[in-house]
Amino acid sequence: MMGRFLSIVVRGCIVLVGLGLLGAPVFAQGNGPARTPPMGWNSWNHFACKVTEADVRSAADALVSTGMKSAGYIYVNIDDCWQGTRDEKGVIHPNGKFPDMKGLSDYVHAKGLKLGIYSSPGPKTCAGFEGSLGHEELDAQSYAQWGIDYLKYDYCSFQGDFAAQMAAYEKMHEALEKTGRAIVFSLCQYGMDRVWRWGPSVGGNLWRTTDDISDDYNDMAYIGFGQNGLERFAAPGHWNDPDMLEVGNGRMNKDEYLTHMSLWCLLAAPLLAGNDLSKMTPDTLAILTNPEVIGVDQDALGSQGHRVAQEGQLEVWVKLLADGSKAVGLFNRGESVMPVTAYFRDIGVGDTASVRDLWEKKDLGVYSSSFTAQVPKHGVVLLKIK
Ligand code: GLA
């Protein structure tokens, strides 16, 4: 962990010098995958290394049966710990927990879902399984043959300087392109070297901006509220990734999960549920599938929100939407209920504006110059104002 932070500091200097990064980022806009932030499920936050094919099949089943698929959750992503060994030709084979990757992919695809997988540019993954170093093309071909639609490529054991790191990500990007299959490319190197500035240039559709999230309010809030300032690096096809969702994993309360989901949607973050979908409470499902809240995340403009006002523990965040309205989050990071005010001049709407509560799915009326709500401890009120 410490090594990662050190390399962020040390390598950050190299990036500044090496790329002279004072200008605006250049995005390769195309018609590739991930025009809106990817939505789906990932095995890591709940199952970690214990994940099996049966868990992945049941996640796919649950995406359909709970209505999450209809809400937009399409990717079923296997994280670390699926890998077995390479054969004499260097071809990677899954371990005994995943006896039939093609069969699993057929199963997932038959449900109208997509399958994701995980590897590393280094020799080993973070959990010590086989990485892709020196086998990039072979691995990309295996993924394509299995019908994989998404690759999370996790730095882990990779060794090398900044140039080597960029080259390693680019190498896998080229290998994926060569397969001719549309595969979302998810960079995971914890935000080192200001990855948001160069992620698109190595084919990244999304890039982790931070170290790992955990199911803890302070940790989630540190990551989520810390995203302010990265908004200019997000655009259709290229997203900042503050890590997967912890909603429903049990260690935050309802207000804290509402904050987590609201913030991730204002951030135009990928929405990868990380809970056990086969055992969800109605509250968890409601937080994950509110269509108006997801609409903020998936808005076609692809603009990432940012903080427009802060007073102690109270924050107001705004995301511009394609129809010209604003999604507005009133957040209370404090320890008791507090009134939070959004001033219309701060959020860039006219003197008079109509206000809708997105979690409550309720129009609140027309207001002049500001709107104030009582916001619970660690909670949020999420609005659409126009
Ligand atoms: C790293 C990543 C996590 C997860 C694990 C798997 O810690 O950041 O998201 O993929 O590796 O080992």
Side-chain angles (χ1 to χ4, degrees):
M1 184 81 76
M2 184 53 86
R4 281 183 197 167
F5 284 124
L6 276 178
S7 67
I8 290 171
V9 175
V10 174
R11 291 174 183 197
C13 299
I14 296 170
V15 178
L16 278 171
V17 175
L19 298 179
L21 289 169
L22 295 171
V26 179
F27 291 129
Q29 298 283 356
N31 293 315
R35 307 308 299 160
T36 59
M39 290 178 69
W41 171 86
N42 175 293
S43 57
W44 185 255
N45 284 354
H46 180 81
F47 293 95
C49 228
K50 296 198 293 281
V51 65
T52 64
E53 174 175 327
D55 297 327
V56 177
R57 282 181 182 243
S58 96
D61 295 344
L63 283 175
V64 176
S65 65
T66 61
M68 282 183 70
K69 179 193 164 201
S70 308
Y73 294 85
I74 294 297
Y75 289 97
V76 182
N77 291 352
I78 310 166
D79 207 276
D80 207 347
C81 308
W82 62 267
Q83 308 87 340
T85 50
R86 295 186 184 279
D87 63 23
E88 65 284 355
K89 295 196 185 103
V91 175
I92 185 86
H93 294 275
N95 60 39
K97 295 189 295 150
F98 290 88
D100 180 8
M101 206 54 102
K102 180 70 172 73
L104 176 58
S105 136
D106 290 344
Y107 183 81
V108 166
H109 289 143
K111 292 179 175 285
L113 300 167
K114 292 173 182 284
L115 188 64
I117 211 162
Y118 166 102
S119 190
S120 170
K124 295 283 176 208
T125 68
C126 290
F129 288 80
E130 193 68 20
S132 290
L133 182 68
H135 299 95
E136 293 81 358
E137 283 211 8
L138 273 179
D139 285 0
Q141 282 159 20
S142 296
Y143 305 154
Q145 277 159 19
W146 294 335
I148 298 293
D149 307 291
Y150 185 118
L151 173 67
K152 173 174 169 183
Y153 209 42
D154 193 348
Y155 191 85
C156 301
S157 63
F158 185 80
Q159 301 271 333
D161 60 12
F162 174 49
Q165 180 194 171
M166 278 183 77
Y169 277 101
E170 174 61 26
K171 193 167 189 181
M172 182 50 96
H173 167 58
E174 280 169 13
L176 294 174
E177 290 273 293
K178 214 169 153 187
T179 68
R181 192 173 171 86
I183 299 178
V184 171
F185 192 32
S186 160
L187 274 47
C188 177
Q189 43 80 288
Y190 338 112
M192 289 187 292
D193 306 320
R194 302 179 180 205
V195 62
W196 40 88
R197 292 184 178 267
W198 53 268
S201 73
V202 295
N205 295 114
L206 59 157
W207 45 84
R208 277 272 298 278
T209 55
T210 74
D211 224 308
D212 293 14
I213 196 169
S214 69
D215 188 16
D216 169 81
Y217 173 74
N218 288 324
D219 191 28
M220 177 280 293
Y222 176 79
I223 288 177
F225 291 108
Q227 299 300 296
N228 195 48
L230 296 186
E231 57 276 3
R232 71 194 179 100
F233 301 98
H238 311 287
W239 308 103
N240 290 303
D241 173 8
D243 208 355
M244 303 167 294
L245 297 171
E246 292 282 7
V247 175
N249 277 332
R251 294 214 160 90
M252 288 187 243
N253 66 33
K254 185 175 174 191
D255 284 323
E256 294 169 338
Y257 283 137
L258 287 168
T259 290
H260 183 12
M261 188 72 184
S262 303
L263 193 47
W264 262 237
C265 290
L266 286 165
L267 291 169
L271 298 178
L272 295 170
N275 56 319
D276 181 354
L277 302 181
S278 67
K279 295 191 188 85
M280 265 189 293
T281 65
D283 271 352
T284 296
L285 183 61
I287 293 171
L288 288 171
T289 55
N290 178 312
E292 297 188 32
V293 176
I294 287 177
V296 171
D297 183 77
Q298 296 290 300
D299 182 76
L301 191 61
S303 164
Q304 176 174 327
H306 65 289
R307 182 166 51 225
V308 294
Q310 181 171 22
E311 229 186 291
Q313 302 282 63
L314 312 179
E315 302 193 14
V316 179
W317 284 63
V318 172
K319 181 187 200 284
L320 176 61
L321 303 176
D323 68 359
S325 65
K326 307 283 168 73
V328 178
L330 311 182
F331 293 98
N332 175 5
R333 300 176 66 179
E335 299 301 315
S336 58
V337 62
M338 290 288 280
V340 183
T341 299
Y343 292 98
F344 292 174
R345 65 168 181 275
D346 287 345
I347 59 179
V349 293
D351 259 4
T352 314
S354 64
V355 178
R356 181 171 173 80
D357 186 320
L358 297 184
W359 284 115
E360 297 298 326
K361 302 179 185 152
K362 205 165 118 194
D363 287 326
L364 301 180
V366 175
Y367 287 78
S368 291
S369 57
S370 70
F371 174 84
T372 301
Q374 296 295 323
V375 183
K377 161 186 170 173
H378 294 181
V380 63
V381 170
L382 186 66
L383 306 166
K384 189 169 185 175
I385 303 189
K386 62 178 172 188

